[in-house]
Amino acid sequence: MGGVSIKEVARAARVSPGTVSNVLNRPERVAPATRDRVTRVIRELGFVRHGSASTLRAGHSRTIGLSLMDIGNPFFTDVAAGAEDVASELGYAVILGNSGGSRAKEEHNLRVFAEHRVRGVLITPSDGDPRRLDGLREHGISVVLVDHPAHRPDLCSVTVDDVAGGLLAAGHLLDRGARRICHVTGPLTIRQCRDRREGARRALAAAGLDPESALETVEAPAMTARAGQEAAERLVASGRLPEAIFCANDMLALGVLRGLHQAGVGVPGDVALIGYDDIDFAVASAVSLSSIRQPTYKLGRIATELLLDECGNPGEHAHRQIMFQPELVARESTGR
């Protein structure tokens, strides 16, 4: 990979290579005017410092970066396991970054990856604009989107059809006789949440119901068990319990289950409940949780295979946008 060198930065900024090194590592030692000039040249030339001497010689390392939205969510833990297994099999290590859904944290992760000259990056982007990843690719760092469609032919992506998943979940509740459904979702700024809700709305419309009146949406601030429990407490306090609840992920659903149980509301006797992801905890809960299964481990594996194929065969690599179909898993929480 032909990156810009410190000597080239020094020549363009009219300083010594040692001054450039100080700006990168000990900026307090450099006069502000000089530091600003060097920083501007670094930005203009697209210079990225190397993480190690061996990386500097080779131009890249045998590492890949993995930036995930929420490593505390078992969904992403399984994705990471699949990615790490493939990377290890092919002699690579994985540098993990957790964005927490924050664009600022995500950009920090990407800077760290670039500084360490990773061979490629797997990312669940915090927003829907992959164009800001083009800077990495311009420096020879391949990128694959995980759990997010690319919507462009020059970028690989591996995802699941979340609209179909939402349709499956709401359709199952309708099949169980529910006509008033509450959708407990995470922030609707998240693409997956929007798509799952859209799928639920389509299921209601196909059943001849008005989605505006038949589907109540409760937007939680996070996709966690605590946020789910708080959503359930609000529903109970309102005195208007729905016939069924569809949660945008299993962590929310497990929190809803706990909140309903503490309020003496039976599942599925009083309210049917379905989650999304089919994490291991879904089957281990006191009332086994119906869910929409995603091939999480496979997502990580396939994405890493695509990434390393692009790294190793840039001229022959065919970009692919892979979309898996989700699967309904009915258990006790919806009365099977």
Side-chain angles (χ1 to χ4, degrees):
M1 175 168 47
V4 177
S5 70
I6 281 183
K7 289 183 179 179
E8 289 172 300
V9 172
R11 187 161 51 246
R14 304 187 306 281
V15 297
S16 70
T19 299
V20 177
S21 179
N22 280 337
V23 170
L24 293 170
N25 301 298
R26 296 172 295 275
E28 70 279 1
R29 297 187 179 183
V30 184
T34 302
R35 185 171 65 232
D36 291 344
R37 185 168 75 253
V38 172
T39 300
R40 185 175 64 253
V41 170
I42 286 172
R43 185 170 57 250
E44 290 172 351
L45 296 183
F47 170 80
V48 178
R49 60 180 173 183
H50 297 268
S52 65
S54 60
T55 293
L56 195 140
R57 290 192 298 272
H60 57 76
S61 65
R62 293 193 67 81
T63 59
I64 60 175
L66 175 60
S67 181
L68 297 176
M69 192 176 296
D70 180 10
I71 195 59
N73 185 326
F75 170 89
F76 291 110
T77 305
D78 287 348
V79 170
E84 201 281 330
D85 281 353
V86 170
S88 179
E89 291 164 9
L90 298 177
Y92 284 78
V94 177
I95 302 175
L96 178 63
N98 181 41
S99 73
S102 162
R103 179 164 179 165
K105 288 184 179 180
E106 182 178 281
E107 290 179 347
H108 170 75
N109 292 341
L110 297 180
R111 285 195 299 271
V112 171
F113 295 160
E115 288 173 4
H116 284 79
R117 283 292 198 256
V118 297
R119 195 71 187 272
V121 169
L122 301 167
I123 182 170
T124 303
S126 60
D127 61 33
D129 185 8
R131 289 176 299 178
R132 59 194 179 82
L133 302 173
D134 289 343
L136 289 174
R137 304 175 75 205
E138 290 168 1
H139 285 87
I141 300 175
S142 301
V143 177
V144 172
L145 303 186
V146 183
D147 197 35
H148 201 290
H151 296 310
R152 49 190 279 188
D154 63 337
L155 191 63
C156 285
S157 63
V158 183
T159 188
V160 177
D161 188 342
D162 284 306
V163 174
L167 198 152
L168 275 176
H172 176 60
L173 297 177
L174 290 166
D175 288 344
R176 305 303 299 170
R179 291 298 179 268
R180 290 183 298 105
I181 299 173
C182 176
H183 180 44
V184 178
T185 181
L188 288 171
T189 53
I190 298 173
R191 191 272 311 166
Q192 293 88 336
C193 291
R194 295 194 303 272
D195 283 358
R196 292 166 195 179
R197 184 179 67 161
E198 174 60 24
R201 290 173 60 86
R202 291 185 188 182
L204 290 167
L209 300 173
D210 178 10
E212 296 299 326
S213 58
L215 184 71
E216 175 186 2
T217 298
V218 174
E219 184 176 358
M223 299 179 74
T224 62
R226 182 181 182 86
Q229 181 173 344
E230 291 172 350
E233 291 168 353
R234 291 197 299 274
L235 284 172
V236 171
S238 73
R240 296 180 291 102
L241 280 176
E243 296 170 326
I245 299 174
F246 163 38
C247 292
N249 76 350
D250 285 344
M251 297 304 291
L252 282 168
L254 291 171
V256 166
L257 181 62
R258 178 177 174 82
L260 294 177
H261 174 74
Q262 289 185 341
V265 178
V267 174
D270 298 315
V271 177
L273 175 66
I274 189 169
Y276 202 107
D277 290 340
D278 195 32
I279 63 175
D280 289 343
F281 296 131
V283 72
S285 60
V287 177
S288 61
L289 183 66
S290 294
S291 188
I292 302 300
R293 177 178 293 163
Q294 300 196 79
T296 49
Y297 178 81
K298 192 173 184 179
L299 282 176
R301 284 196 66 93
I302 297 297
T304 308
E305 290 171 357
L306 288 173
L307 180 70
L308 294 180
D309 181 71
E310 182 176 352
C311 293
N313 307 286
E316 301 176 6
H317 175 77
H319 292 292
R320 299 173 62 194
Q321 295 79 41
I322 298 174
M323 179 175 285
F324 291 103
Q325 290 302 307
E327 175 188 351
L328 169 67
V329 182
R331 298 193 179 98
E332 293 172 341
S333 67
T334 53
R336 297 196 188 274

